[in-house]
Amino acid sequence: MARVTVEDCIDKVDNRFELVLLASHRARMIQSGSSILVPRDNDKNPVVALREIADEKLKPEDLKEDLIHSLQKHVEVDEPEAETVPLLTTSVPNASAPDSEIQFDRMSEDDLLRGLDGLVPPTESADDED
């Protein structure tokens, strides 16, 4: 097969610099064990990466997204929004308001003391005695 040229790929990726970035990223992916999508034909990884781009086996947008993701140090995970919590005010609650609106965790003093009884005090070390 004839060698791939920049002109074969430039209609898929408009910017030559971006083409080099994407092809080099894909070549590194192939080097690290990613499967190739075109026959190797005794070509090296950068040429295989360019042939994959020229043959439209990979979308440049997907390669670009993968390149950006590989360069990020902190990847933000898209988590669902937390449920809205009613704002607590410092004023005294209205006596006519139902108790089901705002609930607090309550623990009696006896429950607290029973929980503390099960705790073991820390042992003293030689550093504490000085």
Side-chain angles (χ1 to χ4, degrees):
M1 180 177 181
R3 287 285 205 210
V4 66
T5 62
V6 173
E7 285 76 25
D8 296 333
C9 301
I10 202 68
D11 58 339
K12 281 54 169 192
V13 180
D14 295 330
N15 187 333
R16 289 174 187 246
F17 180 72
E18 187 175 343
L19 174 64
V20 170
L21 285 175
L22 296 179
S24 64
H25 175 67
R26 178 62 183 152
R28 284 189 296 274
M29 288 172 60
I30 294 170
Q31 180 66 32
S32 65
S34 182
S35 61
I36 59 174
L37 305 174
V38 294
R40 182 169 283 278
D41 290 338
N42 204 20
D43 290 330
K44 295 185 179 179
N45 293 339
V47 176
V48 172
L50 286 170
R51 286 182 38 221
E52 287 178 345
I53 293 171
D55 292 346
E56 296 181 343
K57 299 293 182 178
L58 297 170
K59 292 182 182 177
E61 295 83 22
D62 294 341
L63 267 177
K64 186 175 183 180
E65 186 70 29
D66 191 51
L67 173 64
I68 292 169
H69 184 72
S70 71
L71 296 174
Q72 288 178 336
K73 293 184 181 183
H74 173 71
V75 179
E76 192 172 303
V77 178
D78 192 19
E79 295 180 4
E81 294 286 328
E83 293 182 21
T84 56
V85 179
L87 294 175
L88 299 176
T89 59
T90 57
S91 64
V92 177
N94 187 356
S96 65
D99 292 334
S100 64
E101 284 184 20
I102 301 173
Q103 293 183 355
F104 297 98
D105 290 337
R106 298 187 190 269
M107 178 183 278
S108 69
E109 187 176 345
D110 294 332
D111 292 337
L112 179 62
L113 290 174
R114 271 186 255 129
L116 291 175
D117 285 339
L119 295 177
V120 178
T123 59
E124 292 186 20
S125 63
D127 295 336
D128 293 340
E129 293 174 4
D130 290 336

